[in-house]
Amino acid sequence: MLVLKFGGTSVGSVENMSHVKDIINDGQQKVVVLSAMSGTTNALVEISNALKGGNSSLALSLIDALRSKYIEVISHLFEDEMLAVESEQYVRWIFKNIQDCAQEFYTERSYNQIVAQGEFLSTFLFSRFLQQEGINAQLISALDFMRIDRTNEPDMFYIKQNLNRILTETEPADIYITQGFICLDAEGYVANLQRGGSDYTATIIGAAIKATEVQIWTDIDGFHNNDPRHVPDTHAISNLSFDEAAELAYFGAKILHPQTVMPVRDLDIPVRLKNTMEPKAYGTLITNEIHGEGIKAIAAKDDITAIKIKSGRMLLAHGFLKKVFEVFEKYETSIDMITTSEIAVSLTIDDITYIREIVEELSKLGSVEVDSYRTIVCLVGNNIVYHPDTPKLFQIMQDVNVRMIAYGGSNNNISLLINTSDKLETLRKLNRYVFEPELV
Ligand code: ASP
Ligand code: MG
């Protein structure tokens, strides 16, 4: 069986839903995972922020605006009167639930409840749309099988047991539709796999049912060799290894949720990235195989904060780094890059929720400096650390102010921390050097 995941733009308009219908209606049995329609999760986050800030009148007006958008979608999506009426009732019921959350005392659980509604809406409307088009599809609820454990990792045993049971118990269908992103937590409350988590849902499902392939359909034709928003003439990379894709997804190439390849990598289930608007394009195929040599892709990740801890007292004496890491562990904040010297250690984070507390605790270990608005530029390719062309990088970068370098942490990745204001120039320079050497 295949697993196909479609992102927000793929289900963001009637026309695009119709493209998705054509793609999935090929007689092969599959699970289809959907994100919320584009813009919806952001709008739901805004609603919850308004509630969190105690501004319920703003929340109610945002709820009204979003509901009207859905009522409008229904009017374009359905010619079948019965399906239109049923869908409108469903949409009104969902928004009534959101309004009910607005009446209650706001907690983290309210946030989780509210942001989950986007995927319920998209999957309900899409499944009714398929019904109208005469396609045999069954809607299954992700909350009946998708669960995370106390460490927020997918509970694979539970997911496998329940999903496989549901698939055998549900009436046979060509297409099973389910929600991406949402799940239950270890206590049975509605939770999620973090923003962009629908990709992760798809590979978790792929692993649970031992799918033949997981396809992630989005609005771009795969991983590009550089950031197409900033560099002209980038191209999709046809083949990546799981390791290369994991590095790229983590360091900036926004196209894939960073954890996506993890569930399927050891099972060797290929992941294919495809473009809904250009289904014939090859896209990017991610497998265990290694293709090509040298730097394959450049990506950038913004909003990075660098923290330097400087200590006069034997900084690298054993036990010091442990104490530093324990602070980050305590605040569940992951570290991206790290470099050390005898008297200082620098590291970067992208989640600054607890920055104040972290700095306060680190100050007990030494003097602390924080630099915000940095960018990690990351070069990815199999074994690039050993590639004979790689050292030339340092010539290219000689007039860029590089704050940190991570070289050799993994053979497939070299990361540079620069000022965000130097990002465009750096990406373009590296692009010329790596992909257009004849022009340099
Ligand atoms: N709808 C969720 C989000 O916007 C999940 C996803 O799109 O993957 O983050
Ligand atoms: Mg996404």
Side-chain angles (χ1 to χ4, degrees):
M1 182 132 64
L2 291 169
V3 179
L4 277 71
K5 176 259 166 173
F6 291 88
T9 36
S10 304
V11 288
S13 67
V14 176
E15 199 190 343
N16 292 359
M17 282 201 207
S18 193
H19 285 306
V20 174
K21 179 202 80 184
D22 295 339
I23 291 166
I24 62 178
N25 191 25
D26 61 359
Q28 274 185 291
Q29 215 185 22
K30 53 181 72 71
V31 177
V32 171
V33 176
L34 301 182
S35 295
M37 292 175 80
S38 47
T40 296
T41 311
N42 285 345
L44 293 169
V45 169
E46 251 186 89
I47 291 168
S48 2
N49 284 342
L51 291 174
K52 190 177 182 180
N55 193 345
S56 57
S57 66
L58 173 63
L60 290 176
S61 74
L62 292 168
I63 293 171
D64 269 351
L66 192 59
R67 181 178 36 228
S68 307
K69 210 175 118 186
Y70 275 89
I71 300 294
E72 165 99 24
V73 167
I74 291 172
S75 71
H76 296 299
L77 197 57
F78 296 107
E79 280 140 27
D80 182 315
E81 191 60 29
M82 290 255 292
L83 290 173
V85 170
E86 189 197 359
S87 299
E88 184 164 336
Q89 277 168 353
Y90 183 80
V91 166
R92 291 195 184 281
W93 176 72
I94 288 281
F95 281 93
K96 165 88 177 42
N97 292 344
I98 301 177
Q99 250 163 1
D100 289 346
C101 290
Q103 312 305 329
E104 291 162 14
F105 181 69
Y106 184 89
T107 63
E108 184 66 20
R109 288 200 177 123
S110 329
Y111 170 86
N112 285 346
Q113 272 291 351
I114 293 170
V115 298
Q117 303 307 316
E119 273 69 15
F120 283 123
L121 288 163
S122 63
T123 47
F124 185 94
L125 295 180
F126 188 66
S127 69
R128 293 306 181 271
F129 173 64
L130 290 185
Q131 196 178 330
Q132 169 178 280
E133 305 297 302
I135 295 169
N136 177 16
Q138 289 286 340
L139 178 57
I140 57 177
S141 172
L143 298 187
D144 290 340
F145 63 87
M146 191 59 78
R147 195 167 84 167
I148 48 175
D149 63 19
R150 286 184 199 287
T151 61
N152 292 333
E153 291 294 320
D155 183 342
M156 282 314 291
F157 181 79
Y158 177 97
I159 296 167
K160 237 190 236 169
Q161 296 274 315
N162 285 286
L163 178 55
N164 287 303
R165 177 183 52 75
I166 290 166
L167 288 176
T168 35
E169 282 172 1
T170 310
E171 265 180 62
D174 298 331
I175 298 168
Y176 297 94
I177 297 169
T178 194
Q179 300 84 19
F181 179 56
I182 60 172
C183 59
L184 294 182
D185 65 15
E187 289 167 43
Y189 290 98
V190 174
N192 61 66
L193 302 172
Q194 308 294 329
R195 294 301 308 271
S198 299
D199 301 336
Y200 196 24
T201 304
T203 50
I204 294 170
I205 291 179
I209 63 169
K210 295 230 164 59
T212 41
E213 182 171 295
V214 176
Q215 298 178 355
I216 310 280
W217 289 77
T218 131
D219 50 8
I220 181 166
D221 50 349
F223 266 121
H224 274 225
N225 63 330
N226 205 330
D227 194 327
R229 290 166 303 180
H230 303 308
V231 178
D233 301 328
T234 61
H235 61 260
I237 306 169
S238 309
N239 292 280
L240 283 173
S241 67
F242 285 121
D243 289 347
E244 290 168 333
E247 301 272 16
L248 270 179
Y250 191 73
F251 286 105
K254 282 256 180 307
I255 161 165
L256 212 55
H257 181 279
Q259 315 265 58
T260 307
V261 298
M262 300 308 170
V264 289
R265 161 200 222 151
D266 291 343
L267 297 169
D268 210 359
I269 298 171
V271 177
R272 199 184 283 276
L273 310 188
K274 295 282 287 177
N275 185 347
T276 309
M277 303 310 141
E278 247 185 275
K280 293 218 161 66
Y282 182 83
T284 298
L285 179 62
I286 306 167
T287 62
N288 262 330
E289 273 173 45
I290 287 161
H291 290 256
E293 284 198 340
I295 298 168
K296 219 183 252 186
I298 303 170
K301 184 173 178 180
D302 290 334
D303 296 324
I304 299 295
T305 299
I307 303 174
K308 186 195 282 175
I309 307 125
K310 207 169 159 189
S311 163
R313 286 169 290 128
M314 292 290 288
L315 179 80
L316 296 182
H318 74 253
F320 183 85
L321 284 178
K322 180 167 177 268
K323 287 185 199 138
V324 170
F325 289 143
E326 273 167 359
V327 175
F328 291 88
E329 169 77 32
K330 178 169 168 193
Y331 293 101
E332 293 181 2
T333 300
S334 65
I335 296 170
D336 288 336
M337 276 176 83
I338 169 155
T339 57
T340 61
S341 81
E342 177 55 17
I343 56 150
V345 49
S346 282
L347 37 82
T348 70
I349 58 173
D350 69 346
D351 176 1
I352 51 167
T353 316
Y354 296 107
I355 185 80
R356 207 172 46 81
E357 292 84 345
I358 288 172
V359 169
E360 204 174 297
E361 296 211 19
L362 290 175
S363 301
K364 295 176 198 151
L365 303 172
S367 65
V368 179
E369 275 171 41
V370 177
D371 296 326
S372 310
Y373 309 114
R374 304 292 136 140
T375 292
I376 292 177
V377 170
C378 156
L379 304 155
V380 169
N382 177 57
N383 263 334
I384 50 171
V385 163
Y386 300 114
H387 196 271
D389 285 348
T390 303
K392 285 193 208 135
L393 257 185
F394 296 102
Q395 272 163 323
I396 307 296
M397 296 298 290
Q398 67 189 352
D399 30 274
V400 179
N401 184 1
V402 179
R403 165 78 170 76
M404 283 169 68
I405 298 183
Y407 192 108
S410 126
N411 291 346
N412 304 329
N413 170 334
I414 297 167
S415 297
L416 310 160
L417 185 73
I418 58 169
N419 294 334
T420 302
S421 54
D422 291 334
K423 177 176 81 169
L424 287 190
E425 199 204 333
T426 306
L427 286 178
R428 286 176 191 158
K429 252 189 182 165
L430 287 170
N431 199 68
R432 249 175 281 133
Y433 152 69
V434 177
F435 303 118
E436 304 165 348
E438 67 284 358
L439 304 180
V440 178

